[in-house]
Amino acid sequence: MAQKAFQAEVSKLLHLIIHSLYSHKEIFLRELVSNASDALDKLKYLTVSDEAYKAIAFEPGIRVSFDKEAKILTVSDNGIGMDDKDLEENLGTIARSGTRRFLEALAEDVRRTTNLIGRFGVGFYSCFMVSDTVEVLTRKAGQEAAFLWTSDGKEGYEIAPASRDGHGTTITLKLNEEGQEFLSRWRTEEVLKKYSNHVAYPIVLAYEQDTYDDKGKKTGTERKEEQVNAASALWLRPKSELADSDYVEFYRNFADTDEDPLLWMHTKAEGTIEYSTLFYVPAKAPFDLYHADYKPGVKLYVRRVFITDDEKELLPTYLRFVRGVIDSEDLPLNVSREILQQNRVMTNIRNASVKKILGELKTLSESDKEKYEKFADEFNRPLKEGLYSDFANRDALLELVRFKSTSVEGWTSLADYKVRMTGDQKGIYYISGDSEERLRKSPLLEMYRRQGLEVLICADEIDELVVPSIGRYGDLELKAVNRAGAEEDLGPEAKGDEAAEKAEKDLAPAVERIKKALGDRVKDVRLTRRLAESPSCVVVDEADPSLQMQKLMKALGRGEGIDVKPILEINGSHPMVSRLAGTEDEDLVADTAEVLLGQALLVEGASPADPADFVKRMNKLISRQ
Ligand code: ADP
């Protein structure tokens, strides 16, 4: 049969894997076993859920064997198998979005490869690291026809009709120099144990052992077989029997990673609804955390039978970084997605699981602040989404979310902010925008800083949605500093004295003229006392969306008609403004007006409507005597 070419990306992937991952070449075995286990899961599920497959009786298992003389290693399973079409799609192209991202990430920084292999399963193609040629002999369950896929991992592959006893897949590797070490019982067993100990099906290793007579003389060899993995559903074993290392090893295998988890929680619920859950919080955010098509991290089992790993509703979206297993005693095996979403048992498990996870996070935040900071670095943002979407757990989430602040390094909680509050402080102040650095320099903070008032810095895109929606923390109101009227809260310095009041009166006509000069680009122009050093700032009206919110809405394509104009607030005690009192110089007023608005927009990360005009007027002002 004619050779078919690999999809271009496959060739690229093969090249990259072979050349950059060879120091981790043993992972090919993990990948092959994991594929075999998936194939067994798929068939087992069909036999319990689909009439057409119910007649198939099989004892699921994975077998690894090698032949020292022929330099061959095989990994065989009696799972779902593939037909010729499957072979072409699965082993000739890159169907998975994960692999594509892996490639993109690799292209960005080849040096990070070794960290990346943990985070992306590199899959079947990794066996070309250790092989000259690879054969895949496979027969799909319920079909007679078998096929043989062959490739040297260079340009392409061939698919030919073949025969196989029973359904399943046998992968035969003709090992190259790099692969010779796996022709050893101990080496292969070590790798299988390391990565695949808790694969749910037995992995049997077949090997040859020399036989000896009484006098210690070699008499020949005999073939032996031994199950090398624990093959237990770890989550069903009592906690008392499990060591930390068991949990860590299971996680590494489960999440396809070399990293340790940050935290795990193992629960067995007995009572009206019986289930077991084992959840892990990873140390690092999954690469697809912010992709709309992220892969859910929780697998659903019903009485140890794998049901799905593609159900996003098992936990709320904001907990999509959690990895683990839910195993229910009470769901039907052929539970469909629709049933799952409305099922009382599932709702119960889900609610209890969320409470458990949030509770454990709270405990961590109290017992190990340093670890919790690490957690916040990775997962604070998704938790904040929860504030917006999970009203029932809002109070718990409010204790878990963290903020940057003008008063402390690193993260702070709302509770800690409260402790630091000064006597007559009116609420919790925050400033929101899209750059932490810019926010920290915002003129809006000047008076707060001078008065020793702490302001939370909210620079996440979603803060624009989330933080205003919080409303209150206990009896404290959350107050945005970039809103009109916020200076009401500031201390006596901002309130001004008689002299300040007089100066403001004198400036009133100039303010009117500035307003006129700026026309409909601003909603209002007014004097403010919230600024200490800067001459001007822009704020939005209490009920209007902020500038960042407007940007966000536009980016979401929902920006129609939300062009809300800012209010320009100016600092009467700044020389640039105070010199306008009583002036007749229209040019000076017009230039100053444009520069006041332009610079206030610039510090907010927006730009003046006509930058060239802004620069011209600024230069005019600077050159003026
Ligand atoms: P992944 O397993 O992460 O999807 P792989 O490159 O390892 O990616 O495998 C690609 C696809 O080939 C799998 O998704 C699966 O459909 C198919 N496949 C691989 N190995 C087997 C196997 N032993 N039995 C059945 N199908 C398999």
Side-chain angles (χ1 to χ4, degrees):
M1 197 170 267
Q3 213 190 34
K4 295 193 171 144
F6 283 125
Q7 186 190 32
E9 280 160 310
V10 175
S11 296
K12 207 162 131 196
L13 180 67
L14 277 165
H15 183 84
L16 281 166
I17 289 177
I18 293 167
H19 291 91
S20 37
L21 301 184
Y22 57 85
S23 57
H24 290 70
K25 59 189 176 208
E26 65 188 28
I27 58 157
F28 84 91
L29 207 49
R30 171 185 81 183
E31 299 296 327
L32 293 184
V33 168
S34 148
N35 283 346
S37 167
D38 289 349
L40 292 166
D41 276 344
K42 283 182 198 156
L43 183 57
K44 197 163 168 205
Y45 176 59
L46 286 175
T47 59
V48 294
S49 63
D50 189 328
E51 282 304 323
Y53 291 85
K54 283 223 161 105
I56 298 180
F58 80 118
E59 196 59 49
I62 300 166
R63 193 184 141 93
V64 180
S65 62
F66 55 86
D67 180 335
K68 270 191 192 152
E69 307 283 284
K71 303 198 160 93
I72 276 172
L73 183 85
T74 59
V75 177
S76 182
D77 66 69
N78 56 349
I80 182 89
M82 289 177 271
D83 60 20
D84 48 349
K85 207 167 130 270
D86 297 334
L87 273 173
E88 202 157 310
E89 274 170 17
N90 297 333
L91 304 185
T93 59
I94 292 186
R96 295 179 311 158
S97 56
T99 313
R100 188 162 291 129
R101 297 240 168 71
F102 175 71
L103 270 176
E104 285 164 9
L106 267 184
E108 269 168 33
D109 187 352
V110 177
R111 279 162 300 148
R112 282 172 53 225
T113 316
T114 47
N115 300 331
L116 286 170
I117 45 169
R119 297 172 74 172
F120 303 75
V122 289
F124 168 79
Y125 299 113
S126 62
C127 57
F128 284 104
M129 282 189 289
V130 293
S131 316
D132 286 329
T133 54
V134 175
E135 288 180 3
V136 180
L137 175 63
T138 180
R139 178 171 151 192
K140 198 162 183 168
Q143 297 180 9
E144 287 303 317
F147 297 91
L148 181 67
W149 180 100
T150 320
S151 172
D152 60 3
K154 295 203 171 81
E155 264 87 53
Y157 57 91
E158 281 171 22
I159 298 175
S163 70
R164 188 184 195 278
D165 285 341
H167 53 82
T169 302
T170 304
I171 317 262
T172 305
L173 311 179
K174 177 87 180 66
L175 297 173
N176 61 17
E177 272 308 307
E178 296 287 338
Q180 300 298 309
E181 67 192 73
F182 300 100
L183 295 171
S184 139
R185 173 188 171 195
W186 304 113
R187 178 73 179 119
T188 301
E189 185 173 334
E190 175 194 45
V191 179
L192 288 170
K193 277 213 160 84
K194 176 169 168 191
Y195 294 111
S196 313
N197 198 23
H198 289 289
V199 164
Y201 305 102
I203 304 171
V204 167
L205 178 64
Y207 56 92
E208 281 186 353
Q209 198 169 43
D210 292 339
T211 50
Y212 300 92
D213 64 16
D214 300 346
K215 298 188 186 78
K217 197 164 160 274
K218 187 175 160 185
T219 52
T221 54
E222 93 185 299
R223 288 196 71 77
K224 287 201 158 176
E225 297 199 336
E226 196 176 276
Q227 180 174 331
V228 290
N229 65 331
S232 65
L234 181 93
W235 60 91
L236 293 182
R237 288 170 53 192
K239 276 195 232 181
S240 55
E241 275 180 21
L242 295 165
D244 285 0
S245 55
D246 291 320
Y247 286 110
V248 170
E249 187 209 318
F250 178 78
Y251 169 75
R252 288 179 167 186
N253 179 57
F254 182 90
D256 217 351
T257 175
D258 299 329
E259 277 163 6
D260 285 4
L262 193 73
L263 188 72
W264 61 84
M265 43 213 110
H266 186 184
T267 312
K268 187 169 177 56
E270 277 160 340
T272 36
I273 294 178
E274 283 186 31
Y275 61 88
S276 294
T277 54
L278 174 55
F279 294 122
Y280 290 90
V281 175
K284 288 261 173 294
F287 75 97
D288 59 358
L289 188 62
Y290 299 112
H291 297 164
D293 61 346
Y294 71 90
K295 185 144 179 45
V298 175
K299 295 188 184 185
L300 177 69
Y301 287 75
V302 171
R303 294 187 288 285
R304 284 191 66 168
V305 178
F306 169 80
I307 304 293
T308 176
D309 60 0
D310 190 26
E311 176 50 64
K312 294 188 172 170
E313 301 290 322
L314 297 177
L315 287 178
T317 326
Y318 70 90
L319 292 177
R320 61 189 176 278
F321 55 87
V322 172
R323 302 291 180 247
V325 171
I326 296 177
D327 192 344
S328 159
E329 294 291 316
D330 304 305
L331 285 170
L333 274 169
N334 58 355
V335 62
S336 70
R337 180 160 287 188
E338 293 68 38
I339 293 178
L340 209 53
Q341 283 169 8
Q342 295 151 17
N343 185 278
R344 190 181 55 86
V345 173
M346 199 56 233
T347 311
N348 247 304
I349 297 178
R350 179 179 139 124
N351 290 345
S353 298
V354 174
K355 290 226 152 46
K356 175 82 191 163
I357 294 168
L358 299 184
E360 290 290 325
L361 288 173
K362 180 85 192 332
T363 309
L364 178 73
S365 74
E366 290 157 354
S367 64
D368 191 339
K369 288 215 164 10
E370 207 177 304
K371 212 169 180 188
Y372 195 79
E373 291 246 320
K374 282 196 191 125
F375 167 79
D377 286 338
E378 299 292 325
F379 303 117
N380 193 43
R381 193 184 137 164
L383 278 194
K384 279 195 289 197
E385 294 172 24
L387 282 177
Y388 197 68
S389 58
D390 186 359
F391 209 74
N393 290 298
R394 214 172 127 206
D395 289 344
L397 283 163
L398 274 176
E399 299 301 336
L400 294 176
V401 291
R402 294 290 180 264
F403 296 88
K404 295 288 174 60
S405 140
T406 52
S407 298
V408 289
E409 292 267 313
W411 297 104
T412 182
S413 64
L414 292 175
D416 288 345
Y417 179 105
K418 198 171 166 182
V419 171
R420 285 190 299 270
M421 275 174 48
T422 55
D424 54 354
Q425 197 174 326
K426 308 271 189 319
I428 296 178
Y429 303 115
Y430 71 91
I431 183 166
S432 53
D434 54 11
S435 146
E436 183 179 340
E437 212 188 330
R438 194 152 52 218
L439 289 177
R440 285 190 184 278
K441 293 182 191 150
S442 169
L444 291 167
L445 297 181
E446 289 167 3
M447 200 52 93
Y448 291 87
R449 197 170 288 127
R450 188 174 283 186
Q451 298 186 5
L453 293 171
E454 177 172 358
V455 180
L456 299 176
I457 309 278
C458 302
D460 256 343
E461 207 175 56
I462 58 161
D463 285 340
E464 291 294 332
L465 287 173
V466 169
V467 185
S469 81
I470 297 174
R472 309 187 80 84
Y473 172 67
D475 52 355
L476 291 171
E477 200 181 327
L478 269 82
K479 298 183 163 198
V481 303
N482 56 351
R483 297 261 152 199
E487 69 262 55
E488 296 297 305
D489 283 356
L490 291 165
E493 193 179 353
K495 298 268 186 297
D497 50 15
E498 261 177 53
E501 265 170 39
K502 164 142 190 347
E504 282 176 11
K505 233 186 227 140
D506 294 346
L507 273 171
V511 171
E512 279 312 308
R513 278 148 72 197
I514 292 174
K515 199 155 144 183
K516 219 156 131 209
L518 296 176
D520 62 2
R521 278 175 293 151
V522 290
K523 193 165 184 175
D524 197 8
V525 178
R526 55 173 86 132
L527 287 165
T528 185
R529 290 170 183 164
R530 72 164 101 207
L531 297 171
E533 292 101 32
S534 304
S536 64
C537 63
V538 285
V539 297
V540 291
D541 230 352
E542 208 55 59
D544 285 343
S546 66
L547 291 182
Q548 281 71 28
M549 182 68 176
Q550 294 173 40
K551 244 202 228 166
L552 189 69
M553 300 291 279
K554 279 182 196 155
L556 294 171
R558 303 202 340 239
E560 201 95 339
I562 64 152
D563 256 321
V564 179
K565 292 172 197 112
I567 295 170
L568 177 68
E569 293 199 341
I570 53 180
N571 177 359
S573 58
H574 194 282
M576 208 179 141
V577 178
S578 59
R579 71 171 168 183
L580 297 182
T583 182
E584 293 299 324
D585 187 339
E586 286 304 325
D587 255 11
L588 175 67
V589 175
D591 291 344
T592 307
E594 291 299 339
V595 172
L596 287 173
L597 177 62
Q599 61 169 295
L601 288 171
L602 277 173
V603 293
E604 281 280 315
S607 24
D610 183 347
D613 181 62
F614 168 76
V615 171
K616 205 166 85 195
R617 288 177 191 267
M618 189 181 66
N619 290 335
K620 250 169 82 191
L621 280 183
I622 295 171
S623 326
R624 219 176 166 108
Q625 290 310 312

